[in-house]
């Protein structure tokens, strides 16, 4: 009888939790909205304590320095692609990191939280508009219905179930500035799928560094004008949160989510920001859970599910 070697058993494949998370677009986008909701609440709280342009500059330089040791090998490998797409990469840095964040932090010094949340709910419309104008990507009927349903849910929460309150809302320069930041981020969201095929860490580290450098002259001007950081516990806590959650993690999660399902399907997750914001007020500030909260949450969730399950159509 001839001895025959048995085939070696297949090695078991163990996927890490990070690998699993990296392929869960809906969870990634939901966490992004959670981190950004807390960032808006925090920005309103510290608006007069931390200069907005200085905060944004420190934010992106800090993220760049945090990621650089991990991103450096990928940056060296991806540098030819980055250099070849330099105009696009600089545009992404400007609209997604420099202008968008600086103007939104600045706006929170002038606008009310109600207005900011109301304007934030228009984010998916700007993504859809830029996608249509630049690339001919139009919303499917399901995506349009999903955005409309989730927008109705956002308004239900913000207006406490009383839609007649819309007539009493007035907009000031802070509202216009916050709206401009959403227009800017809508452009970033529409452009991000057209980025070169590079590693996530290369993308984030390059754009955060460029965004910070773009803001540096304005931050110096802000400092010379007398707006300086107050180095106390509130400032340090703000910087720690901003660097880790709405900056490093949220942008990594957002970019990955858009890469997996596209900008139009990802856009409705913007509507989770005011939902999480109101939930934080209930949990952290002791506000009462009312029926309009539950109705609003249900509408937002239904809209997000409807919109995110459909692909984009080409015009």
């Amino acid at each position: 009888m001839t001895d025959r070697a048995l085939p070696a058993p297949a090695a078991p494949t163990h996927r890490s939790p990070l690998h699993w998370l990296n392929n869960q677009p809906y969870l990634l986008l939901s966490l992004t909205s959670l981190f950004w909701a807390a960032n808006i609440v925090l920005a309103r709280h510290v608006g007069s304590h931390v200069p907005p342009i200085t905060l944004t500059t420190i934010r992106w330089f800090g993220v760049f320095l945090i990621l650089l040791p991990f991103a450096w090998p990928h940056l060296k490998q991806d540098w030819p692609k980055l250099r070849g797409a330099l105009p696009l990469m600089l545009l992404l840095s400007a609209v997604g990191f420099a202008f968008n964040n600086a103007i939104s932090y600045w706006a929170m010094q002038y606008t009310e939280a109600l207005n900011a949340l109301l304007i934030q709910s228009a984010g998916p419309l700007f993504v859809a508009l830029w996608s249509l104008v630049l690339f001919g990507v139009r919303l499917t009927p399901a995506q349009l219905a999903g955005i409309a349903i989730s927008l109705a849910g956002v308004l239900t929460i913000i207006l406490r179930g009383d839609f007649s309150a819309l007539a009493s809302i007035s907009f000031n320069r802070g509202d216009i500035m916050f709206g401009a930041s959403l227009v800017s981020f809508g452009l970033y969201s529409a452009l991000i799928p057209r980025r070169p095929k590079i590693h996530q860490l290369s993308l984030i580290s390059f754009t955060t560094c460029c965004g910070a450098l773009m803001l540096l002259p304005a931050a110096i001007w802000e400092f010379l004008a007398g707006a300086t950081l107050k180095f106390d516990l509130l400032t340090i806590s703000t910087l720690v949160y901003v660097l880790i959650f709405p900056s490093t993690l949220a942008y990594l999660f957002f970019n990955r989510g858009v890469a997996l399902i596209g900008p139009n399907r990802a856009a409705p997750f913007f509507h989770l920001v005011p939902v999480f914001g109101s939930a934080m007020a209930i949990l952290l500030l002791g506000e009462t859970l009312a029926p309009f909260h539950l109705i609003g949450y249900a509408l937002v969730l239904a809209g997000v599910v409807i919109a995110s399950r459909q692909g984009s159509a080409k015009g």
Side-chain angles (χ1 to χ4, degrees):
M1 182 174 181
T2 305
D3 291 335
R4 297 179 63 186
L6 296 176
T13 57
H14 298 288
R15 293 186 176 181
S16 68
L18 288 179
H19 183 277
W20 175 85
L21 179 63
N22 197 46
N23 290 283
Q24 305 299 318
Y26 306 136
L27 177 57
L28 291 171
L29 292 168
S30 298
L31 289 172
T32 298
S33 296
L34 174 63
F35 298 155
W36 283 344
N39 189 48
I40 290 176
V41 174
L42 184 62
R44 178 63 179 164
H45 180 63
V46 303
S48 60
H49 192 83
V50 183
I53 300 177
T54 302
L55 174 59
T56 312
T57 306
I58 293 175
R59 174 182 183 178
W60 297 131
F61 268 134
V63 171
F64 171 69
L65 293 175
I66 290 172
L67 293 180
L68 185 58
F70 310 99
W72 182 247
H74 303 292
L75 279 170
K76 291 192 295 184
Q77 181 178 349
D78 292 333
W79 178 245
K81 294 180 180 179
L82 288 167
R83 186 175 54 191
L86 190 58
L88 174 60
M89 298 304 300
L90 292 177
L91 180 58
L92 288 173
S93 302
V95 299
F97 295 87
F99 178 81
N100 163 53
N101 286 271
I103 202 72
S104 62
Y105 279 141
W106 199 356
M108 293 309 297
Q109 295 186 354
Y110 303 104
T111 189
E112 298 295 327
L114 174 63
N115 289 28
L117 290 172
L118 181 60
I119 297 167
Q120 175 76 37
S121 65
L125 302 179
F126 293 121
V127 178
L129 179 61
W130 281 116
S131 296
L132 176 63
V133 170
L134 295 177
F135 308 113
V137 179
R138 56 184 174 82
L139 293 172
T140 65
Q143 287 174 346
L144 185 59
I147 289 176
I149 292 170
S150 57
L151 178 59
V154 168
L155 293 177
T156 300
I157 295 169
I158 293 173
L159 302 176
R160 307 179 69 83
D162 180 14
F163 280 77
S164 63
L166 276 172
S168 64
I169 293 178
S170 59
F171 294 93
N172 56 30
R173 62 174 174 170
D175 303 324
I176 297 173
M177 293 162 65
F178 198 85
S181 75
L182 287 179
V183 173
S184 176
F185 195 76
L187 177 57
Y188 174 84
S189 302
L191 289 173
I192 198 66
R194 270 71 184 180
R195 73 189 189 275
K197 302 300 181 182
I198 57 177
H199 195 275
Q200 271 268 68
L201 292 176
S202 297
L203 174 67
I204 295 294
S205 58
F206 184 88
T207 49
T208 53
C209 181
C210 291
L213 290 173
M214 291 174 183
L215 287 168
L216 188 57
I220 294 173
W221 168 83
E222 188 178 59
F223 175 81
L224 295 176
T228 58
L229 283 171
K230 301 174 183 177
F231 284 100
D232 53 19
L233 182 59
L234 178 59
T235 298
I236 295 172
S237 301
T238 298
L239 291 176
V240 169
Y241 175 80
V242 166
L243 284 174
I244 296 174
F245 293 98
S247 304
T248 305
L249 294 180
Y251 272 81
L252 285 171
F253 291 177
F254 179 80
N255 288 344
R256 178 60 178 169
V258 171
L260 289 173
I261 65 174
N264 277 346
R265 292 172 64 195
F269 284 84
F270 280 118
H271 286 153
L272 292 178
V273 174
V275 172
F276 284 134
S278 63
M280 288 177 190
I282 293 169
L283 294 174
L284 303 178
L285 303 180
E287 294 190 5
T288 303
L289 180 67
F292 67 82
H293 287 114
L294 300 179
I295 295 171
Y297 295 155
L299 287 171
V300 170
L301 181 60
V304 169
V305 169
I306 291 170
S308 62
R309 293 184 66 178
Q310 297 294 328
S312 298
K314 282 285 183 182

